[in-house]
Amino acid sequence: MSETQAAPDLGRLDFLGDQVQATLTREVEHSTATLWAFLTDPAKLPLWLAPGDIELKVGGRARLDFVDSGIVIDSIVSQLKPGEVLEYSWSGPGETLRPVCWSLEPTGAGARLTLTLDMPASEDVARSCAGWEAHLEMLAAALEGVPIKFPFERFKATREAYRSRVP
């Protein structure tokens, strides 16, 4: 059975048994090519996510090092359609797979970015979603040429909002 909860300023949560799928969507006034560069270029990743490298081929390595938190994503690319879709697991070796899929679509004014996260319902879903909400805010700032540090206030506020939506 699926239970869906959505809020206008947060992502959509779909509860599918022991799994949760979160879908976060943003409309941006930048091209899909610009977004793709921010998702994949090792020089741009630290501006909004973490230092790292993503080998752009299915089976390629996806490694991101969140130095300040001690979290390291060391995964493989599981889906790739250059300029449109990139998926890897947001986990390290031996951990439960938590696929993160970035999808890009052109729009009249720019592009639509859709981030889909899959994770076990037993994990702290609110924390995961809030973390990605914060990184999407960082991405928006970086796209405008004014990178920001991790927005803890946004993280705390969205974590509380997501907590109220998790059964």
Side-chain angles (χ1 to χ4, degrees):
M1 172 155 190
S2 170
E3 180 183 341
T4 302
Q5 296 184 10
D9 61 338
L10 296 177
R12 172 184 164 138
L13 295 179
D14 291 306
F15 300 89
L16 309 164
D18 62 351
Q19 288 290 116
V20 177
Q21 184 174 76
T23 305
L24 289 64
T25 304
R26 298 292 185 275
E27 302 284 335
V28 298
E29 293 182 2
H30 295 275
S31 68
T32 56
T34 298
L35 275 171
W36 188 255
F38 274 83
L39 296 178
T40 61
D41 182 342
K44 295 185 183 322
L45 287 168
L47 299 175
W48 69 276
L49 190 58
D53 188 47
I54 300 171
E55 192 177 8
L56 296 177
K57 65 179 185 177
V58 173
R61 187 174 185 193
R63 188 172 200 292
L64 300 165
D65 188 349
F66 294 81
V67 179
D68 292 338
S69 69
I71 295 171
V72 175
I73 292 174
D74 193 359
S75 182
I76 61 165
V77 173
S78 50
Q79 279 191 65
L80 179 69
K81 189 171 184 183
E84 295 179 31
V85 176
L86 173 64
E87 180 183 85
Y88 49 87
S89 182
W90 175 48
S91 54
E95 292 182 348
T96 301
L97 292 179
R98 295 175 201 87
V100 54
C101 184
W102 304 93
S103 300
L104 308 177
E105 297 175 62
T107 64
R112 178 177 302 113
L113 168 70
T114 303
L115 170 58
T116 306
L117 312 164
D118 291 301
M119 66 201 101
S122 61
E123 293 187 357
D124 189 344
V125 172
R127 179 178 183 262
S128 297
C129 290
W132 286 107
E133 290 280 356
H135 281 289
L136 286 174
E137 187 169 307
M138 293 172 71
L139 174 60
L143 283 164
E144 297 307 321
V146 289
I148 61 173
K149 292 186 181 277
F150 188 85
F152 284 105
E153 292 306 314
R154 169 85 174 151
F155 172 81
K156 289 189 290 188
T158 56
R159 187 176 190 185
E160 286 307 310
Y162 276 110
R163 274 187 181 150
S164 71
R165 297 170 50 214
V166 176

